Amino acid sequence: AQSVTQLDSQVPVFEEAPVELRCNYSSSVSVYLFWYVQYPNQGLQLLLKYLSGSTLVKGINGFEAEFNKSQTSFHLRKPSVHISDTAEYFCAVSPPYNQGGKLIFGQGTELSVKP
Amino acid sequence: GAGVSQSPRYKVAKRGQDVALRCDPISGHVSLFWYQQALGQGPEFLTYFQNEAQLDKSGLPSDRFFAERPEGSVSTLKIQRTQQEDSAVYLCASSLEGGFMNTEAFFGQGTRLTVV
């Protein structure tokens, strides 16, 4: 079975500062990894995903994440955040052998960007 | 439509009442997913359709939950004899084909169900 742990429930940060949102997963098999963002009163939006290949994945809005197999981590980073990045961020995993509909989400990290 | 549309946006139900939640996927999207998001938690998988076929319903928490997509487009999630623990936001997503790793899935804004 797979599981996802987002190590921080809330991350406050000042505008233009760098940020890292941490995600660790547990799985006995290879997995696909995802980061989603949920703005207030909006649906989840895909930021980026790792399926295979380069361990550094670039996504939308200047976000990137690095897959670290030995540490079973997939941390999300942005070098300089904006007020508009304030949102809830979810890390998710999917085992490659399932039919593709089941994502296992972490509990979320609330990013709060202050001026 | 422009995106995934869910209705109603908010639903208050008395304990024991039956409810039906509707999802209109993006036109032409083959795959449709339902997730349940309790307050302060991440979404949890309920069920997955490809066209009208329900390929995975392993996440439905009890036999009070039933989902259908009879014509391979609109889907309805029905909850019978609602209980307080059913209070959550119910999210629907659709994608052009396959699962989340194949093509991007787009989520609706969700239906917030409150059982009183």
Side-chain angles (χ1 to χ4, degrees), chain B residues 23-96:
Chain B
C23 174
D24 281 86
I26 294 172
S27 178
H29 277 197
V30 167
S31 298
L32 185 144
F33 318 86
W34 283 99
Y35 279 76
Q36 180 191 58
Q37 186 175 17
L39 189 64
Q41 304 294 317
E44 291 192 2
F45 173 79
L46 292 176
T47 188
Y48 163 43
F49 289 87
Q50 190 164 312
N51 294 307
E52 67 278 4
Q54 190 172 20
L55 298 188
D56 187 347
K57 57 180 181 179
S58 63
L60 296 176
S62 76
D63 59 7
R64 295 186 297 105
F65 286 72
F66 173 75
E68 61 182 3
R69 195 186 184 197
E71 298 179 358
S73 178
V74 171
S75 177
T76 303
L77 176 67
K78 297 179 179 178
I79 309 173
Q80 296 178 323
R81 304 181 303 282
T82 52
Q83 300 178 7
Q84 283 193 317
E85 60 261 32
D86 300 334
S87 295
V89 176
Y90 290 85
L91 301 172
C92 177
S94 71
S95 72
L96 199 54

Side-chain angles (χ1 to χ4, degrees), chain A residues 32 34 36 38 41-46 49 51 88 90 94-96 98-108, chain B residues 9-10 33 35 37 40-45 48 55-56 58 91 98-109:
Chain A
Y32 299 137
F34 303 77
Y36 282 84
Q38 188 173 34
N41 296 316
Q42 294 189 27
L44 289 161
Q45 181 181 4
L46 179 67
K49 62 184 177 185
L51 304 183
E88 188 91 19
F90 292 94
S94 176
N98 82 351
Q99 298 182 76
K102 185 183 294 185
L103 283 182
I104 298 165
F105 285 87
Q107 292 191 309
Chain B
R9 287 291 316 281
Y10 303 92
F33 318 86
Y35 279 76
Q37 186 175 17
Q41 304 294 317
E44 291 192 2
F45 173 79
Y48 163 43
L55 298 188
D56 187 347
S58 63
L91 301 172
F100 285 88
M101 59 285 294
N102 297 98
T103 56
E104 183 174 351
F106 296 87
F107 282 81
Q109 291 180 286

Side-chain angles (χ1 to χ4, degrees), chain A residues 22-90:
Chain A
R22 298 181 292 167
C23 172
N24 284 87
Y25 68 92
S26 173
S27 177
S28 58
V29 298
S30 298
V31 293
Y32 299 137
L33 295 154
F34 303 77
W35 274 100
Y36 282 84
V37 60
Q38 188 173 34
Y39 298 104
N41 296 316
Q42 294 189 27
L44 289 161
Q45 181 181 4
L46 179 67
L47 275 177
L48 48 80
K49 62 184 177 185
Y50 172 78
L51 304 183
S52 65
S54 173
T55 57
L56 183 63
V57 181
K58 294 191 182 297
I60 62 171
N61 301 340
F63 284 93
E64 64 180 31
E66 185 155 19
F67 170 57
N68 188 319
K69 187 175 181 179
S70 62
Q71 296 187 5
T72 60
S73 69
F74 191 55
H75 300 334
L76 181 71
R77 301 186 182 101
K78 186 170 182 178
S80 175
V81 294
H82 303 290
I83 298 287
S84 59
D85 292 323
T86 295
E88 188 91 19
Y89 291 79
F90 292 94

